[in-house]
Amino acid sequence: MSTRRLIASMVALALAIGVVQLLVWWLQPTRNNRMDAGPPRSGYTLHDFTLYGYGDNGKLSYRLQAPRLERREGDDSLYLNQPKFLLPPKRAPGEPWTGHSDYGWVSAKGDELKLQGAVKMRRKAYAGTAAASIDTSDVTAWPKKNKVQTDEHVVMHQGTATMTGIGMRADLDTKHMELLNDFHGTFKPSTSKR
């Protein structure tokens, strides 16, 4: 009789183990078997770097240089100290806008830049278009669209013209700029003879 009990106990134990294993397979979360699966990327810091951002067409959208870049753990965006930037024109003819700011931020997808603190932008003269400069602060830029905006005080110089206002929206390719509030402009006559 004890042999029968032993066999019955072993069969019951085997069935219980089988049921438990089936429950484990059924209740455990599905595993991602991709090769790139794993913990989130860790944070890192770069010193004296140059960052190139490219558009969907493979052309340069922006270039950033700075003494320090920080990518924080769990956040794919980049934080910059004292960045110098270049925003190339998307249409010919044109000259790139260059400049610098106190701080900067680049979105995880690289399609949005925040130039924080004092921002100075410059563009050289070209093809009958006078050189231009913009002095402002806290600029948001979309380099793939070549558009910038700020809600802060803006001073723009181009040729003999000086314009100031509060808040700006600009398309750097079409050279269309809106000063949203408190606009003041000085347009001196050109000294060149026609």
Side-chain angles (χ1 to χ4, degrees), residues 10-66:
M10 289 184 0
V11 168
L13 183 60
L15 283 173
I17 290 172
V19 168
V20 168
Q21 184 61 47
L22 285 173
L23 283 172
V24 167
W25 284 339
W26 182 55
L27 294 176
Q28 84 179 8
T30 58
R31 290 179 41 181
N32 188 350
N33 291 327
R34 295 183 345 195
M35 294 301 286
D36 61 345
R41 291 174 49 192
S42 63
Y44 57 83
T45 302
L46 299 177
H47 297 278
D48 298 322
F49 73 95
T50 302
L51 172 70
Y52 296 92
Y54 292 91
D56 297 333
N57 59 3
K59 293 186 178 181
L60 183 67
S61 286
Y62 60 90
R63 183 185 73 211
L64 295 167
Q65 293 175 290

Side-chain angles (χ1 to χ4, degrees), residues 83-152:
K84 294 178 182 175
F85 58 87
L86 177 133
L87 300 171
K90 304 291 185 262
R91 299 179 188 168
E95 281 290 323
W97 282 89
T98 60
H100 58 87
S101 66
D102 294 333
Y103 301 98
W105 174 86
V106 181
S107 67
K109 293 183 179 181
D111 57 355
E112 183 179 346
L113 305 176
K114 290 192 184 281
L115 304 166
Q116 300 162 319
V119 178
K120 297 189 181 300
M121 299 175 66
R122 305 288 180 260
R123 186 193 68 216
K124 294 179 182 177
Y126 68 94
T129 302
S133 67
I134 298 174
D135 294 310
T136 186
S137 59
D138 299 333
V139 171
T140 301
W142 295 272
K144 292 180 182 180
K145 298 176 184 175
N146 229 12
K147 295 186 179 190
V148 296
Q149 78 176 36
T150 183
D151 293 326
E152 303 301 322

